[in-house]
Amino acid sequence: RVGPYEGKVGDDDVTKKDTAYRAIADHARALCFAIADGAVPNNEGRGYVLRRILRRATRYGQQILKAEPGFFATLVEVVVDTFGDAYPELVQNQKTIFDVIQEEEQAFSTMLDRGIQYFTELQSELEEAKSTEVTGSKAFFLYDTLGFPLDLTQLMAEEAGLTVDSQGFRTKMETQKQRSRDARKKSSDGSAHLEFIAEQTAWLTKEGIATTNDAPKFDTAALPAKVVAIFGVDGFTDSAQEGDTVGLVLDQSSFYAEAGGQEADTGVVISLGDDDAATSFVVNDVQSYGGYLLHTGVVEKGTFTKDSDVTCSVDYDRRSKIVPNHSMTHVLNSALRQVLGDGVDQRGSLCSDEKLRFDFSHKKALSGKQLRQVEEICQ
């Protein structure tokens, strides 16, 4: 629609047409080789680099070259034809490369038109206001809502003779991250969320407190233990009263800490005082930090003090429901590999007493037939 490539560079390329041709060709090559090597576009690490350059190429094609949505995936064949003899892995993985790029391009194309329209309207607003800077909040909206990486917004701004408030963007990003961190610091019931960082584990080590012996977790009996540290919202303390949300560090524990996607054990820790009155602590979560198990929960009755002798009582009925779900994640992983091939990569899992969730990466969603095959193998 805009004519063939003419080799113009710099100020001679007024319409940015030839720049777009070069960028698209370069990005098509990069993506094809990377995907052939096993990388896929996503939101982390190298995957996010691929996602950014694909979106950059797609924007160049649709906005500058007036190409139809979906044009970028058609370039896979050209790359394979050009380099396939020297790099046979391109030929071997051509279909996978095409499917990954096509799916990713389609996903972004639905947002691209909205993003271009938003930026065009923003450009008009800035002209009326006699301003040349895209604010950090506007750039963050493009990123957070429309999927435009900051460098893509900066490129579009540069083409339009504008600048972007990058510091304002980073401030908005940090504000969002802080909101997320604050939300994670509250548990579902609104109580404080406790965790150790290097400062706490260093303090425990300095105090000569040994890491928790968790070998008894493989047994199924009540376990005697000693409270070696109590941690609250204001730091370490010597005692915890009824109703307090705290974390107990024990010299040994029969509780499983959360690991490998498997939820932590729950249960109670009980202490008998000098008057034989039971003091109970309800364990809602167990996390491991540098070998120290932090048993987080609420003092249900009485007062807990450092150095008190206690008994660990795990909810083994709940654990018995979690264990098969954990086992089934391995079965499901095997079944997916049998049906989809070795290109399947596990990305995480969740095993609770109610369900299991298995996260994995693949070039596209399973078909109905593939899903049935996986289910039949698991059954």
Side-chain angles (χ1 to χ4, degrees), residues 176-233:
Q176 185 193 61
K177 289 180 178 179
Q178 187 60 49
R179 282 199 300 266
S180 179
R181 287 192 290 266
D182 291 343
R184 289 197 300 269
K185 289 180 181 177
K186 292 290 184 181
S187 58
S188 58
D189 61 1
S191 60
H193 173 74
L194 302 174
E195 64 180 359
F196 283 167
I197 56 176
E199 178 184 0
Q200 283 77 49
T201 55
W203 184 88
L204 291 168
T205 301
K206 182 180 179 182
E207 292 295 308
I209 298 174
T211 55
T212 308
N213 172 23
D214 67 347
K217 69 185 179 184
F218 299 109
D219 300 327
T220 56
L223 177 75
K226 181 184 289 291
V227 177
V228 295
I230 301 175
F231 183 68
V233 292

Side-chain angles (χ1 to χ4, degrees), residues 65-347:
L65 301 184
K66 310 302 180 187
E68 293 292 335
F71 80 94
F72 193 62
T74 65
L75 300 180
V76 172
E77 183 177 358
V78 178
V79 174
V80 174
D81 288 345
T82 304
F83 298 99
D85 289 342
Y87 301 94
E89 60 270 25
L90 290 173
V91 179
Q92 297 166 7
N93 295 286
Q94 181 171 350
K95 186 177 186 307
T96 296
I97 297 169
F98 177 84
D99 290 345
V100 169
I101 290 179
Q102 183 183 53
E103 182 176 5
E104 187 74 16
E105 184 179 9
Q106 287 175 347
F108 182 54
S109 290
T110 59
M111 298 183 289
L112 180 58
D113 289 340
R114 290 174 55 200
I116 292 175
Q117 180 181 354
Y118 178 84
F119 190 87
T120 301
E121 294 172 354
L122 175 61
Q123 188 177 348
S124 298
E125 292 176 8
L126 292 174
E127 289 177 357
E128 292 179 6
K130 299 188 184 311
S131 174
T132 60
E133 184 179 68
V134 177
T135 64
S137 61
K138 297 291 187 182
F140 186 74
F141 176 82
L142 280 162
Y143 166 81
D144 189 47
T145 305
L146 301 175
F148 277 53
L150 177 62
D151 57 354
L152 179 54
T153 299
Q154 290 173 323
L155 177 64
M156 295 171 66
E158 182 182 353
E159 293 172 353
L162 304 172
T163 59
V164 178
D165 178 11
S166 300
Q167 183 57 48
F169 173 88
R170 286 190 287 270
T171 299
K172 283 286 185 182
M173 176 72 82
E174 184 56 36
T175 299
Q176 185 193 61
K177 289 180 178 179
Q178 187 60 49
R179 282 199 300 266
S180 179
R181 287 192 290 266
D182 291 343
R184 289 197 300 269
K185 289 180 181 177
K186 292 290 184 181
S187 58
S188 58
D189 61 1
S191 60
H193 173 74
L194 302 174
E195 64 180 359
F196 283 167
I197 56 176
E199 178 184 0
Q200 283 77 49
T201 55
W203 184 88
L204 291 168
T205 301
K206 182 180 179 182
E207 292 295 308
I209 298 174
T211 55
T212 308
N213 172 23
D214 67 347
K217 69 185 179 184
F218 299 109
D219 300 327
T220 56
L223 177 75
K226 181 184 289 291
V227 177
V228 295
I230 301 175
F231 183 68
V233 292
D234 295 321
F236 289 102
T237 182
D238 290 332
S239 64
Q241 312 299 319
E242 187 171 314
D244 288 349
T245 297
V246 295
L248 302 183
V249 180
L250 309 176
D251 63 339
Q252 60 177 350
S253 175
S254 54
F255 285 84
Y256 261 105
E258 180 181 347
Q262 179 171 320
E263 288 190 349
D265 280 335
T266 57
V268 294
V269 173
I270 299 172
S271 174
L272 288 177
D274 295 335
D275 56 358
D276 290 335
T279 298
S280 59
F281 176 80
V282 178
V283 178
N284 296 321
D285 186 36
V286 184
Q287 299 289 331
S288 179
Y289 301 99
Y292 294 101
L293 263 58
L294 184 66
H295 306 70
T296 304
V298 179
V299 179
E300 186 179 49
K301 182 181 179 181
T303 300
F304 271 83
T305 59
K306 182 183 176 184
D307 296 326
S308 58
D309 294 319
V310 298
T311 300
C312 299
S313 181
V314 174
D315 184 348
Y316 289 109
D317 287 339
R318 177 175 177 272
R319 185 195 285 183
S320 69
K321 297 175 183 177
I322 296 175
V323 169
N325 283 339
H326 191 168
S327 299
M328 284 306 298
T329 61
H330 299 290
V331 175
L332 180 55
N333 190 16
S334 176
L336 287 166
R337 287 181 176 275
Q338 290 180 51
V339 174
L340 303 177
D342 292 336
V344 172
D345 287 320
Q346 181 177 350
R347 296 299 184 185

